[in-house]
């Protein structure tokens, strides 16, 4: 047995077999063997989900040898990439091709298949999550067959599989609709939280990519505005020294030290939070898009995130602010707030509605269950949908009420995996067991 642990240490597994295919035929063979023997299999990805979504007790499928760009259509600006490719590797290859993703989250360690399967998103009122950039998918189904799907070819499978939780099959390739490489101008600075909230909707609409971080117990928020620059704009990145000091030292080494102090002496968390909020530095720069979207995350944490109707942001955030001082244990990590445009993907957290995302965090090793459960209750009252890769306690009965196409997804799941080859305990909870 090989012990597997996710990045945050919130999920572990000891699968009896770990398959590491080097080609499509080997993926198909591994899935077929598992199905014939009545076992179950899960693809591991890179372990950046906080939930047990990738936990495999019987067989695990590692795609570390199934990476890279498979084909490129420069005229159409479409790239087909193998599913085990990380976003970091993909961004580097797109750079070489003069292309870029339309939107990204702030972590690039995930595999492309894992990122889309869990609904990874960035921020931007006019932009959807990564899954909205998919033009086509290829999957290995439970019987070992390889199928393709798109808006025109097996459209129901396409609607389901773009955010499929790994429940429909093993994604083998993803075809992405890209765009010409572009430069983002970044503006990051601390601003009074009251003003940020008052102008939130105007700011979200006025900037291409807008978000803020609120440090509990502090008065300020770290506001990030990223805006696209005209074609041909030369990037003006931060110097390497400034990048090292701001991102490596201040946001990781120093912040990590503050968190460790707070974990050891909880009564210091509140003054340390106020201090962290007061020393946020301002910076303005521009760079190739993915270098602005992505930030280094060296301090480990646990996370829960809910997507709510954008118009509910102020009510939900206000209740969250009122909650934090009442908690038995203090909160050492900031709250992140982002936005996304509505989409038509069945299990996307932004399905059918413009959404605001509120993500709460806690430093690893510090109590979080009371905090996360209370926030879940607040978000749920507004129809909140939990991020599929982040911590929550909801089950299929609760989630069915929040997704209009939930049963349509289950119908497709039953058709392509009638025996539950790709399920695990997490999927049985959030989707229900296959019957």
């Amino acid at each position: 047995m090989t012990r597997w642990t996710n990045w945050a240490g919130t999920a572990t597994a000891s699968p009896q077999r770990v398959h590491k295919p080097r080609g499509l035929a080997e993926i198909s063979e591994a899935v077929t063997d598992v199905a014939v023997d009545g076992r179950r299999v899960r693809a591991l990805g890179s372990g950046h989900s906080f939930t047990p979504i990738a936990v495999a007790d019987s067989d695990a499928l590692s795609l570390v040898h199934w990476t890279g760009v498979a084909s490129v259509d420069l005229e159409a600006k479409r790239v087909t990439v193998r599913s085990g490719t990380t976003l970091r590797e993909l961004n580097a290859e797109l750079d070489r091709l003069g292309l870029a993703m339309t939107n990204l989250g702030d972590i690039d360690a995930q595999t492309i298949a894992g990122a889309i399967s869990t609904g990874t998103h960035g921020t931007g009122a006019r932009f959807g999550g990564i899954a909205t950039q998919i033009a086509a998918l290829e999957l290995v189904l439970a019987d070992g067959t390889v199928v393709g799907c798109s808006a025109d070819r097996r459209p129901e499978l396409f609607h389901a599989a773009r955010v499929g939780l790994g429940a429909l099959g093993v994604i083998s390739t993803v075809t992405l609709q890209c765009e010409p490489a572009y430069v983002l101008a970044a503006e990051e600075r601390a601003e009074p939280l009251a003003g940020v909230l008052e102008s939130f909707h105007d700011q979200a609409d006025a900037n291409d990519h807008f978000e803020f971080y609120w440090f509990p117990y502090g008065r300020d928020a770290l506001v990030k505005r990223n805006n696209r620059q005209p074609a041909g704009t030369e990037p003006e990145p931060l110097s390497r020294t400034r990048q090292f000091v701001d991102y490596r030292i201040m946001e990781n080494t120093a912040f990590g030290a503050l968190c460790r102090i707070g974990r050891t002496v909880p009564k210091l968390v509140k003054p340390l939070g106020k201090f962290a909020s007061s020393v946020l530095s301002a910076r303005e720069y521009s760079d190739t898009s993915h270098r602005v979207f992505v930030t280094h995350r060296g301090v480990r944490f646990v996370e829960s995130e809910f997507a709510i109707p954008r118009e509910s942001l102020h009510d939900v955030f206000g209740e969250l602010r009122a909650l934090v001082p009442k908690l038995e244990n203090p909160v050492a990590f900031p709250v992140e707030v982002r936005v996304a445009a509505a989409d038509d993907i069945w299990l996307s957290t932004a399905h059918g509605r413009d959404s605001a995302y509120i993500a709460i965090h806690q430093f690893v090793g510090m109590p979080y269950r009371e905090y996360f459960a209370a926030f879940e209750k607040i978000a749920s009252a507004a129809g909140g949908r939990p991020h599929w890769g982040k911590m929550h306690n909801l089950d299929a009965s609760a989630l069915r009420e929040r997704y209009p196409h939930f049963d349509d997804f289950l119908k497709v799941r039953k058709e392509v995996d009638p025996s539950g080859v790709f399920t695990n305990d997490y999927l049985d909870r959030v989707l229900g067991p296959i019957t």
Side-chain angles (χ1 to χ4, degrees):
M1 292 186 180
T2 301
R3 186 171 175 80
W4 171 87
T5 303
N6 67 347
W7 180 82
T10 54
T12 60
S14 297
Q16 296 173 2
R17 304 165 193 82
V18 178
H19 308 269
K20 295 184 178 181
R22 295 180 177 271
L24 183 58
E26 292 185 12
I27 297 175
S28 179
E29 181 182 6
V31 170
T32 301
D33 289 346
V34 167
V36 168
D37 289 344
R39 305 195 306 269
R40 304 193 301 187
V41 63
R42 295 296 291 165
L44 292 177
S46 58
H48 265 268
S49 290
F50 296 85
T51 66
I53 192 168
V55 165
D57 296 322
S58 169
D59 290 63
L61 191 69
S62 170
L63 298 172
V64 293
H65 300 308
W66 182 243
T67 63
V69 170
S71 65
V72 179
D73 184 341
L74 286 176
E75 184 176 354
K77 301 178 183 63
R78 289 188 173 182
V79 173
T80 298
V81 60
R82 298 181 185 93
S83 54
T85 308
T86 65
L87 294 177
R88 183 180 298 118
E89 294 166 337
L90 173 60
N91 289 330
E93 185 59 29
L94 292 179
D95 251 357
R96 289 190 283 271
L97 295 169
L99 298 174
M101 299 282 284
T102 297
N103 199 7
L104 286 167
D106 62 357
I107 297 175
D108 62 0
Q110 309 103 312
T111 63
I112 183 62
I116 63 175
S117 294
T118 54
T120 295
H121 62 92
T123 189
R126 295 183 294 279
F127 303 98
I130 294 178
T132 64
Q133 301 167 60
I134 300 172
L137 289 170
E138 181 184 81
L139 298 94
V140 178
L141 302 184
D143 62 2
T145 59
V146 180
V147 301
C149 61
S150 67
D152 301 319
R153 181 184 182 189
R154 299 190 68 159
E156 290 198 340
L157 180 59
F158 186 63
H159 285 312
R162 281 183 288 170
V163 179
L165 315 188
L168 307 176
V170 177
I171 295 174
S172 51
T173 64
V174 182
T175 300
L176 297 163
Q177 181 62 60
C178 301
E179 60 180 274
Y182 57 95
V183 169
L184 282 176
E187 177 187 330
E188 304 172 9
R189 66 171 185 244
E191 298 179 14
L193 177 64
V196 174
L197 291 173
E198 182 179 359
S199 63
F200 177 82
H201 291 298
D202 290 338
Q203 294 278 4
D205 291 334
N207 294 277
D208 290 327
H209 308 278
F210 175 78
E211 66 180 309
F212 73 86
Y213 292 81
W214 168 57
F215 287 74
Y217 320 114
R219 293 180 299 176
D220 290 342
L222 173 62
V223 180
K224 294 188 176 184
R225 302 176 180 89
N226 297 331
N227 287 290
R228 294 159 178 253
Q229 300 302 291
T233 298
E234 288 295 321
E236 298 180 3
L238 293 174
S239 68
R240 290 191 175 184
T241 299
R242 181 72 186 277
Q243 291 181 47
F244 179 77
V245 171
D246 282 11
Y247 295 116
R248 296 286 178 165
I249 300 299
M250 297 302 295
E251 291 192 6
N252 284 284
T253 304
F255 180 61
L258 293 181
C259 289
R260 287 189 292 275
I261 293 171
R263 184 173 61 190
T264 303
V265 188
K267 67 180 181 180
L268 294 179
V269 170
K270 292 181 180 180
L272 289 174
K274 291 180 181 179
F275 173 74
S277 175
S278 68
V279 297
L280 297 170
S281 61
R283 48 190 172 246
E284 294 186 22
Y285 63 98
S286 63
D287 211 336
T288 303
S289 59
H290 70 87
R291 296 191 180 98
V292 175
F293 285 131
V294 174
T295 54
H296 175 66
R297 292 282 181 251
V299 182
R300 303 213 175 197
F301 53 87
V302 294
E303 180 176 1
S304 178
E305 180 181 65
F306 277 76
I308 57 175
R310 189 172 143 184
E311 61 268 21
S312 301
L313 182 278
H314 285 92
D315 291 339
V316 173
F317 192 81
E319 290 189 55
L320 176 63
R321 289 181 69 192
L323 165 69
V324 168
K326 301 175 184 177
L327 295 171
E328 180 180 355
N329 299 288
V331 178
F333 239 80
V335 173
E336 182 180 20
V337 178
R338 294 177 285 177
V339 292
D343 63 49
D344 63 351
I345 303 169
W346 286 354
L347 291 190
S348 167
T349 50
H351 176 84
R353 67 190 192 194
D354 292 335
S355 299
Y357 290 87
I358 300 179
I360 65 171
H361 313 77
Q362 181 65 294
F363 184 54
V364 291
M366 295 186 68
Y368 66 86
R369 296 186 187 280
E370 178 198 14
Y371 180 32
F372 284 18
F375 172 63
E376 180 175 295
K377 184 176 181 180
I378 293 169
S380 292
R385 297 167 177 163
H387 189 299
W388 295 108
K390 298 178 183 178
M391 303 176 78
H392 68 94
N393 296 309
L394 300 184
D395 61 14
S397 61
L399 293 165
R400 175 177 281 106
E401 298 176 356
R402 306 182 196 197
Y403 287 93
H405 288 282
F406 192 84
D407 286 324
D408 293 323
F409 183 94
L410 296 187
K411 180 181 177 182
V412 172
R413 182 193 187 200
K414 179 70 172 180
E415 291 171 353
V416 298
D417 185 18
S419 300
V421 171
F422 298 114
T423 195
N424 65 4
D425 290 345
Y426 175 77
L427 293 189
D428 285 346
R429 172 166 70 86
V430 300
L431 297 178
I434 295 177
T435 55

